[in-house]
Amino acid sequence: MFFIVGIGLGGVKDITVKGLEVVKSADEVYLENYTSILSVGKESLEEYYGRELKLADREFVEQGCEEMLEKGRNSDVVLLVVGDPFSATTHTDLVLRAKKAGVDTQVIHNASILNAVGCCGLQLYSFGETVSIPFWMDGWSPDSFYDKICHNKERGLHTLCLLDIKVKEPTPESLTKKKKDYLPPLFMSVSDAAEQLMEIVKKRSIETDQQLPVDGETNCVGLARVGSETQQIIYCSLNEMKHKNLGEPLHSLVIIGDLHPLEEEFLALYL
Amino acid sequence: MFFIVGIGLGGVKDITVKGLEVVKSADEVYLENYTSILSVGKESLEEYYGRELKLADREFVEQGCEEMLEKGRNSDVVLLVVGDPFSATTHTDLVLRAKKAGVDTQVIHNASILNAVGCCGLQLYSFGETVSIPFWMDGWSPDSFYDKICHNKERGLHTLCLLDIKVKEPTPESLTKKKKDYLPPLFMSVSDAAEQLMEIVKKRSIETDQQLPVDGETNCVGLARVGSETQQIIYCSLNEMKHKNLGEPLHSLVIIGDLHPLEEEFLALYL
């Protein structure tokens, strides 16, 4: 059996009881570590589970995972994933590949930022399409996510912005080489995200005479390390968010649509 | 401390290890049982947790819960909630009330249908606003959710439709009485939902000459008992969904927007 197990967001004990049983009894356990990270490291997980974990990085998941799936045919193989197993396209792809290869699969769900974001008091039913904000680099500065945020805003909906992470990215120089060198990991903070958004606002303001639906005065919520003991939430304008420091990753940003009185009252706790 | 603990979607072992520890050591444990239900009953949970659970129904949560929150001031009180604690407005309200009353609160997240719906292969980032489809009754037949579904569809986005449940609803005759009688519980099935949607389509077709964005030919996914061992998923048109029987509750319906090739391939497993 090939198991894909969500380990949630915060600490070692956020795995479900069912998930832990599977981890303890499996033949091999891999830990996916490039689409997200837990606030605790691999060593803490290994200590808590009482067993060794093999790291599954991007190269492994995207290229070398056939072997892992094949092992699932005759033994129990587990892939641990931060959040819920279906929170990244690459995991959905993996489940599909396993199913198509005729390997029995089992998915064990858990919380992910897509539902845990409710902890700030915003209603999950009032969110529109989720967007991802990528790091701009080397002249590559996409901004289509801004249009999606504006579209949600115009309909009164909130937007969850998932902030880029770069883990185990090869250096540009080593891209074509056999032996890769890697850049240090990079995690986008809420202030980075607010800054990029404000740059887009600045550019768009020049291009139009009309009032933009989302600008520096728009309110937003910054969230850091949701579900962990050091979780932090802050509520302010985008302009102000540029200067906030919420500390260690992971961060997420919500651009606010229309507020229900209950949401307003809840957010006031985070002013 | 007042704890609100998500118990996930499937069975007794879907609670997190952290959640289980809290349940085992708390002074009192309540089980909320009217915004959602687990595939297993209260007795199974009690047996697994090794302790008695008090039922918290709508009246209790909306009116009589001050006592529960007050107890949280000097002892450990737990409210168990199916899915994630923030999957219903009423729980957000409860957390807010506790915080404002100065009672320490802790939230323990879990999977909810809002992220677990990814199990059908549709990407969570391609969902628009979530809608709720209520049971029509006694001439009350709201249809604004249809417009939201159409709006998502026109933007190529999928729509998760949460289907109504009625648990411990007083009979109309006993509404004004002190001692209430209750109607039997009622859970909307994917075929009920498809039927209501098709009635709206019929009505709207008469009102307009234009092609509706969502009609009987639109594809959808029916999901039942997500996360449990008896989970079922089916992919067909809305017209066909009217005749499908996915068995026991809870059911959810997804109206499909534009499909990515990976999504298409995944859904083909559920034809």
Side-chain angles (χ1 to χ4, degrees):
Chain A
M1 179 87 84
F2 170 60
F3 294 90
I4 181 159
V5 177
I7 56 174
L9 297 166
V12 294
K13 293 184 179 176
D14 284 336
I15 191 168
T16 63
V17 174
K18 194 168 156 192
L20 186 61
E21 285 181 0
V22 164
V23 168
K24 284 201 182 281
S25 70
D27 297 295
E28 272 183 272
V29 186
Y30 294 84
L31 171 65
E32 190 273 294
N33 78 328
Y34 74 94
T35 62
S36 189
I37 57 150
L38 210 59
S39 298
V40 296
K42 172 172 173 271
E43 293 68 29
S44 310
L45 289 173
E46 285 181 323
E47 197 189 322
Y48 184 69
Y49 299 153
R51 63 178 303 163
E52 190 206 345
L53 303 179
K54 297 178 180 178
L55 278 185
D57 59 19
R58 183 190 296 270
E59 280 162 60
F60 176 84
V61 174
E62 290 180 357
Q63 295 161 25
C65 65
E66 300 303 333
E67 195 192 319
M68 174 176 71
L69 296 182
E70 270 314 307
K71 280 183 195 158
R73 216 180 276 283
N74 302 309
S75 62
D76 285 342
V77 179
V78 176
L79 179 67
L80 300 175
V81 165
V82 175
D84 185 71
F86 291 107
S87 47
T89 312
T90 173
H91 308 144
T92 309
D93 182 49
L94 215 52
V95 172
L96 178 63
R97 280 203 259 171
K99 281 179 187 271
K100 290 183 83 171
V103 177
D104 284 336
T105 59
Q106 197 184 332
V107 171
I108 299 181
H109 290 288
N110 211 316
S112 67
I113 187 67
L114 281 123
N115 65 350
V117 65
C119 64
C120 69
L122 294 172
Q123 289 305 295
L124 297 172
Y125 315 110
S126 302
F127 278 75
E129 186 180 359
T130 298
V131 305
S132 295
I133 303 190
F135 276 116
W136 285 347
M137 37 185 66
D138 306 330
W140 182 75
S141 50
D143 60 5
S144 59
F145 56 86
Y146 176 77
D147 299 299
K148 291 183 180 175
I149 296 171
C150 288
H151 185 87
N152 285 337
K153 177 80 180 170
E154 284 175 319
R155 291 185 55 80
L157 301 171
H158 316 311
T159 309
L160 170 62
C161 307
L162 303 171
L163 308 186
D164 205 2
I165 80 172
K166 296 220 171 286
V167 180
K168 223 179 166 190
E169 293 278 323
T171 59
E173 303 77 46
S174 75
L175 254 181
T176 52
K177 291 183 188 156
K178 212 163 185 183
K179 191 184 168 307
K180 306 254 185 301
D181 296 318
Y182 296 97
L183 295 163
L186 209 58
F187 303 96
M188 188 182 283
S189 68
V190 289
S191 63
D192 294 338
E195 203 154 312
Q196 275 195 197
L197 279 166
M198 289 312 299
E199 281 197 47
I200 300 172
V201 168
K202 207 164 130 192
K203 194 179 126 222
R204 298 288 178 101
S205 300
I206 298 170
E207 295 166 1
T208 178
D209 290 337
Q210 299 192 324
Q211 165 92 38
L212 296 168
V214 172
D215 61 19
E217 302 301 306
T218 303
N219 283 326
C220 58
V221 180
L223 303 102
R225 302 171 303 284
V226 167
S228 80
E229 277 170 30
T230 64
Q231 171 177 305
Q232 251 187 292
I233 299 177
I234 199 154
Y235 170 49
C236 60
S237 71
L238 260 178
N239 261 334
E240 289 166 315
M241 194 62 83
K242 279 201 302 187
H243 311 291
K244 301 292 182 186
N245 179 0
L246 295 190
E248 295 293 304
L250 295 179
H251 292 191
S252 307
L253 185 71
V254 178
I255 310 299
I256 291 176
D258 295 340
L259 287 178
H260 179 277
L262 170 65
E263 294 178 314
E264 213 164 334
E265 222 181 313
F266 208 119
L267 284 178
L269 301 171
Y270 303 119
L271 276 172
Chain B
M1 179 86 86
F2 171 61
F3 294 90
I4 182 159
V5 177
I7 56 175
L9 297 166
V12 295
K13 294 184 178 176
D14 285 335
I15 191 168
T16 63
V17 174
K18 194 168 156 192
L20 185 61
E21 285 181 0
V22 164
V23 167
K24 286 200 179 280
S25 70
D27 297 296
E28 272 183 272
V29 186
Y30 294 84
L31 171 66
E32 191 272 293
N33 79 327
Y34 74 93
T35 62
S36 189
I37 56 149
L38 209 61
S39 298
V40 296
K42 173 172 172 273
E43 293 69 29
S44 310
L45 289 173
E46 284 181 324
E47 198 189 320
Y48 184 68
Y49 299 153
R51 62 178 304 160
E52 191 207 342
L53 304 179
K54 298 178 180 178
L55 278 186
D57 59 20
R58 185 190 296 268
E59 279 162 61
F60 176 85
V61 173
E62 289 179 359
Q63 294 161 27
C65 65
E66 300 303 332
E67 195 192 319
M68 173 176 71
L69 297 182
E70 270 313 308
K71 280 184 197 158
R73 217 181 274 283
N74 302 307
S75 62
D76 285 343
V77 179
V78 176
L79 180 67
L80 299 174
V81 165
V82 175
D84 185 69
F86 291 107
S87 48
T89 312
T90 173
H91 308 144
T92 309
D93 183 50
L94 215 52
V95 172
L96 178 63
R97 280 203 259 173
K99 281 179 187 270
K100 291 184 82 171
V103 177
D104 285 337
T105 59
Q106 198 185 330
V107 171
I108 298 181
H109 290 288
N110 210 317
S112 69
I113 186 68
L114 281 123
N115 65 351
V117 65
C119 65
C120 69
L122 293 171
Q123 288 306 294
L124 297 172
Y125 314 110
S126 302
F127 278 75
E129 187 180 359
T130 298
V131 305
S132 295
I133 303 189
F135 276 117
W136 284 349
M137 36 185 67
D138 306 330
W140 182 75
S141 51
D143 60 5
S144 59
F145 56 86
Y146 176 77
D147 299 300
K148 291 182 180 176
I149 296 171
C150 288
H151 184 87
N152 285 339
K153 176 80 181 171
E154 285 174 319
R155 291 184 56 79
L157 301 172
H158 316 311
T159 309
L160 169 62
C161 307
L162 302 171
L163 308 186
D164 206 3
I165 79 171
K166 296 220 171 284
V167 181
K168 222 178 165 193
E169 293 278 322
T171 59
E173 303 78 43
S174 76
L175 256 182
T176 53
K177 292 183 187 157
K178 211 162 183 184
K179 193 186 166 306
K180 306 253 186 299
D181 297 319
Y182 297 96
L183 294 164
L186 209 58
F187 303 95
M188 188 182 283
S189 67
V190 290
S191 62
D192 295 337
E195 203 154 311
Q196 275 195 198
L197 278 166
M198 288 313 298
E199 280 196 46
I200 300 171
V201 168
K202 207 165 131 191
K203 195 178 126 223
R204 298 288 179 100
S205 300
I206 298 169
E207 294 165 3
T208 179
D209 290 338
Q210 298 192 324
Q211 165 91 36
L212 295 168
V214 172
D215 60 19
E217 302 301 308
T218 303
N219 284 326
C220 59
V221 181
L223 303 103
R225 302 172 302 285
V226 167
S228 79
E229 277 170 28
T230 64
Q231 170 177 307
Q232 253 187 291
I233 299 177
I234 199 154
Y235 170 48
C236 61
S237 72
L238 260 178
N239 261 334
E240 290 167 314
M241 194 61 83
K242 279 203 300 188
H243 310 292
K244 300 292 182 186
N245 179 0
L246 296 190
E248 295 293 305
L250 294 178
H251 291 190
S252 307
L253 185 70
V254 178
I255 311 298
I256 291 176
D258 295 340
L259 288 178
H260 179 276
L262 170 65
E263 295 178 312
E264 213 165 331
E265 220 181 314
F266 208 118
L267 284 178
L269 301 171
Y270 303 119
L271 276 172

